[in-house]
Amino acid sequence: MVQTAQDDTLHRRGLMFILSSPSGAGKTTIARMLLAADMELAVSVSATTRPMRSGEVDGKDYHFVTQAEFDRMVEAGEFYEWAHVFGHSYGTPKGAIRAGLKAGQDFLFDIDWQGTQQLYQKAERDVVRVFILPPSLAELSNRLIGRGTDSAEVIAARMARAQAEISHWDGYDYVVINDDVEVCFAKVHEILNAERMRRTRQTGLIDFVRELTRG
Ligand code: ADP
Ligand code: 5GP
């Protein structure tokens, strides 16, 4: 297990760690680095109505559900947030996250500003919001081209949306500029470790301090 700032015996409540950025600024890269480096962090598994792609595993990549089941979950209030994306429904189920948070598990969310607002409204005290900015628009464009996953049209559309996405920077607790990727990753990891030590998350503190100050 990787050493973290929270490697002690005190119980703490987990947190919901949100990473957002304009497309291409490096959110996926930083998310992968965090997950590889930090064993206390897990990804939340969403529910979706879209068909399973080859190689995907039900319960790992997504919980694949029918539209009727998805609608029932919406009605029953079982999602923190949900949305229609590219003709299918996607949502973040509350059950596993609630149980995990109580047990001290942290969850990583790689979501946009709208999803962030919804999660914050539902679970303000458990949420930590981090926004990643590119060092410049020229560099953002270079990264989208360099990634090699999108056509010129898609890259142009992502660049056109970038300014609007950047305008949501003030809806976040932390803002980190992703210039050097290792430096950015280290800063984001520091934020995660510091937030773990927030007094209100350290549910084991009351008993510890009571014991510490007895007699
Ligand atoms: P996002 O998930 O925000 O759309 P990605 O993580 O896919 O962005 O990053 C976009 C591209 O930029 C990828 O090819 C990635 O390897 C590269 N990249 C990410 N961070 C940096 C950085 N600090 N310097 C240079 N290239 C980077
Ligand atoms: P894909 O079908 O390619 O896996 O995902 C399509 C889109 O759905 C992505 O932009 C992804 O971020 C979004 N998405 C995945 N899960 C959720 C979720 O739980 N809630 C919301 N709002 N969007 C999601």
Side-chain angles (χ1 to χ4, degrees):
M1 185 131 162
V2 172
Q3 282 288 116
T4 73
Q6 195 58 39
D7 259 341
D8 53 40
T9 53
L10 292 192
H11 186 72
R12 70 171 174 87
R13 185 170 169 77
L15 52 82
M16 297 161 90
F17 199 69
I18 299 179
L19 282 184
S20 303
S21 77
S23 177
K27 163 176 58 108
T28 309
T29 304
I30 300 297
R32 287 200 185 124
M33 290 171 85
L34 276 178
L35 287 167
D38 195 309
M39 299 302 136
E40 290 176 56
L41 195 60
V43 194
S44 148
V45 180
S46 296
T48 184
T49 60
R50 87 149 158 72
M52 204 187 299
R53 294 180 189 140
S54 79
E56 285 184 328
V57 178
D58 189 20
K60 182 171 173 282
D61 298 289
Y62 285 103
H63 299 291
F64 293 94
V65 298
T66 60
Q67 190 66 54
E69 173 63 1
F70 194 94
D71 294 343
R72 186 203 64 72
M73 292 173 81
V74 171
E75 280 299 307
E78 292 179 19
F79 290 122
Y80 275 117
E81 60 83 41
W82 63 275
H84 291 295
V85 186
F86 309 128
H88 297 290
S89 303
Y90 294 81
T92 307
K94 286 181 186 168
I97 293 176
R98 281 201 171 143
L101 291 174
K102 208 171 165 197
Q105 172 73 58
D106 301 315
F107 291 97
L108 180 67
F109 295 85
D110 171 338
I111 55 176
D112 70 0
W113 65 273
Q114 281 170 312
T116 302
Q117 275 190 346
Q118 290 190 51
L119 271 193
Y120 188 72
Q121 279 162 9
K122 298 261 172 63
E124 182 180 329
R125 283 186 302 168
D126 291 321
V127 164
V128 178
R129 300 163 297 178
V130 181
F131 198 63
I132 295 174
L133 284 176
S136 67
L137 287 181
E139 175 60 14
L140 184 67
S141 174
N142 285 341
R143 286 184 192 171
L144 284 170
I145 295 165
R147 186 165 68 183
T149 54
D150 300 313
S151 65
E153 287 78 16
V154 171
I155 290 175
R158 291 191 194 278
M159 285 304 294
R161 270 181 46 211
Q163 311 255 11
E165 288 176 352
I166 290 170
S167 73
H168 297 287
W169 67 279
D170 57 355
Y172 288 76
D173 304 303
Y174 299 90
V175 178
V176 183
I177 297 170
N178 180 16
D179 196 345
D180 180 290
V181 71
E182 292 294 338
V183 173
C184 178
F185 160 68
K187 286 179 179 171
V188 173
H189 207 182
E190 269 177 46
I191 294 166
L192 174 59
N193 279 326
E195 284 285 347
R196 284 170 169 160
M197 286 182 280
R198 249 183 210 280
R199 175 175 52 77
T200 49
R201 297 194 212 288
Q202 298 201 61
T203 43
L205 264 182
I206 294 175
D207 286 341
F208 176 76
V209 173
R210 190 178 290 142
E211 199 58 36
L212 193 65
T213 55
R214 205 162 52 178

